[in-house]
Amino acid sequence: MARRGLLIILSSPSGAGKSTLAKRLMKWDDSLSFSVSATTRAPRDGEVDGIDYHFAEEADFKRQVADGEMLEHAHVFGNFYGSPMGPVQAAIDNGRDVLFDIDWQGAQQIKNSALGAHVMSVFILPPSITELRRRLVGRGQDDDDTIAKRMRKSWDEISRWSEYDFVLVNDSLDETEAHLKTIVSAARMA
């Protein structure tokens, strides 16, 4: 009997390192499929449609949600985000693991979906709130108002850590990556 794929969910507050860790996991194991999220926000410099996100008009995004084409979706910071169902279903049916870089709301929706039995979730915590703010400022992607919003939202996100299968504190990117690889390897043997 062929192995069914896992849905590997990484969540964290903005700036804790989940996107960097997701990229490192993809580099470590090129058999992983990355769930490219759809969003209604405008592309940032260097982002490519279909690679970084599927950029969509709000009306089209809402139609996909209404038609059941999104595995999960949320409204965050004034924009819609979601994971298209089709590519995820195809990957796990073919024994491929799918990696998600999503927030706690999306993680809950996937866990409560028909594919919930295939979920393995990891929450990434920053070493401190001070360090989280330093990282957000250091990225240079957001203005002060957006950073303040992200910091306020981080408290709610961090309070959800107990809903995950595993929790890692990202105080060293290399060590956190090593722990994450161990978790994924173990989950594949279960």
Side-chain angles (χ1 to χ4, degrees):
M1 184 169 172
R3 176 185 176 274
R4 184 103 190 248
L6 284 173
L7 304 182
I8 302 166
I9 296 175
L10 298 184
S11 297
S12 74
S14 294
K18 79 175 176 293
S19 295
T20 300
L21 289 164
K23 288 175 185 169
R24 287 185 173 203
L25 269 184
M26 294 298 296
K27 194 173 190 178
W28 167 67
D29 182 353
D30 63 5
S31 74
L32 277 171
S33 293
F34 186 74
S35 177
V36 178
S37 295
T39 184
T40 59
R41 78 159 171 75
R44 293 181 181 139
D45 285 344
E47 289 183 330
V48 178
D49 186 45
I51 303 289
D52 299 294
Y53 284 94
H54 296 289
F55 296 100
E57 295 296 323
E58 188 171 319
D60 188 45
F61 187 96
K62 288 180 175 180
R63 181 202 52 79
Q64 291 177 51
V65 169
D67 290 348
E69 296 173 13
M70 290 289 175
L71 181 57
E72 58 83 23
H73 64 280
H75 189 252
V76 182
F77 298 123
N79 297 294
F80 290 95
Y81 293 84
S83 301
M85 173 73 90
V88 174
Q89 186 71 59
I92 65 166
D93 287 348
N94 288 310
R96 292 186 62 136
D97 298 332
V98 181
L99 180 62
F100 293 83
D101 172 349
I102 57 176
D103 71 3
W104 68 269
Q105 295 169 347
Q108 281 299 325
Q109 288 177 44
I110 293 173
K111 285 181 179 183
N112 292 328
S113 77
L115 301 179
H118 306 286
V119 169
M120 188 275 297
S121 61
V122 181
F123 195 85
I124 309 297
L125 286 170
S128 68
I129 294 299
T130 303
E131 175 62 12
L132 181 64
R133 179 165 177 63
R134 188 194 68 73
R135 290 177 185 179
L136 286 172
V137 170
R139 291 193 314 195
Q141 293 179 339
D142 299 314
D143 59 29
D144 290 342
D145 185 48
T146 302
I147 289 172
K149 287 178 187 174
R150 290 187 188 282
M151 289 301 299
R152 284 190 299 273
K153 188 174 186 297
S154 70
W155 288 105
D156 184 43
E157 293 170 325
I158 289 170
S159 73
R160 305 295 181 154
W161 68 267
S162 64
E163 298 169 13
Y164 287 74
D165 299 319
F166 301 92
V167 178
L168 296 174
V169 176
N170 185 16
D171 54 359
S172 163
L173 197 54
D174 291 338
E175 287 180 25
T176 305
E177 177 187 1
H179 293 307
L180 188 55
K181 288 176 182 176
T182 299
I183 291 168
V184 170
S185 297
R188 285 174 167 168
M189 289 188 251

